[in-house]
Amino acid sequence: NHVAICFLYATEFPWLLVLTLLPRTTGKFSRFGLKVNKLRYCRDGYTEAYLRGDSVTVAYNPDDVSSVWIIENGEYIEFELIETRFKDKPIGDVQMIQEQQKHLVKDIVQDNIQARINLTEHIEAILFNNCIGNDTCIKSIRDNRKRESNKKHINFMEEGDANE
């Protein structure tokens, strides 16, 4: 009798059977959305949960990360993926893309740091070469700037008086 009721229920609501069989994980609300498996999801009407930072049990489809379902009061509530570049992709592919992106960012950060070091060395070499045998050095840079500014400065008030 119990089996017949379950079968009837499963044939009437096949999507519910699928959702029931999906794997579970814990998702965490944040102001950036619902975070599940390092991906962000959203749904209208959950602003307070986003702000509180609640944790919730989530059903997810490992073959398609486009949606996840939170289980609230025995009901499945769908949340949509925010990052559309991962839409319709399996979780394995998404994790591989995220790992590649992480390595790419790490390499770029290292290149940026090396470029800054090289720039600093280049600036120091220029300063060292310009300060040897020359009385202009970093100490007198303000005086030099003021002197050069005065050379280029045109006082239009004095020129106006001379023309009258």
Side-chain angles (χ1 to χ4, degrees), residues 9 26 34 42 47-48 56 70 74 83 85 99 105-106 118-119 132 135-136 140-141 157 160-162:
Y9 197 69
T26 301
L34 173 63
C42 69
T47 306
E48 285 187 32
V56 65
I70 69 167
E83 299 161 288
R85 63 188 168 137
E99 196 63 33
V105 168
K106 183 180 176 185
N118 293 344
L119 177 63
I132 295 177
D135 64 348
T136 39
S140 59
I141 199 161
M157 294 303 291
D161 291 341

Side-chain angles (χ1 to χ4, degrees), residues 59-141:
Y60 67 96
N61 183 355
D63 297 325
D64 183 5
V65 298
S66 301
S67 297
V68 295
W69 296 265
I70 69 167
I71 303 165
E72 189 175 86
N73 300 328
E75 291 185 41
Y76 291 90
I77 301 166
E78 184 176 12
F79 280 68
E80 296 291 322
L81 183 67
I82 293 174
E83 299 161 288
T84 56
R85 63 188 168 137
F86 298 130
K87 193 172 178 79
D88 301 324
K89 289 188 173 38
I91 195 157
D93 291 355
V94 170
Q95 289 171 341
M96 185 177 66
I97 291 169
Q98 288 174 330
E99 196 63 33
Q100 289 172 345
Q101 180 181 356
K102 185 175 152 184
H103 287 297
L104 183 65
V105 168
K106 183 180 176 185
D107 291 344
I108 289 171
V109 166
Q110 286 178 340
D111 289 347
N112 189 346
I113 290 170
Q114 186 60 49
R116 287 179 180 199
I117 291 170
N118 293 344
L119 177 63
T120 304
E121 290 173 351
H122 186 68
I123 290 171
E124 287 174 351
I126 290 171
L127 288 173
F128 180 75
N129 290 336
N130 285 340
C131 287
I132 295 177
N134 195 348
D135 64 348
T136 39
C137 203
I138 295 176
K139 293 178 184 175
S140 59
I141 199 161

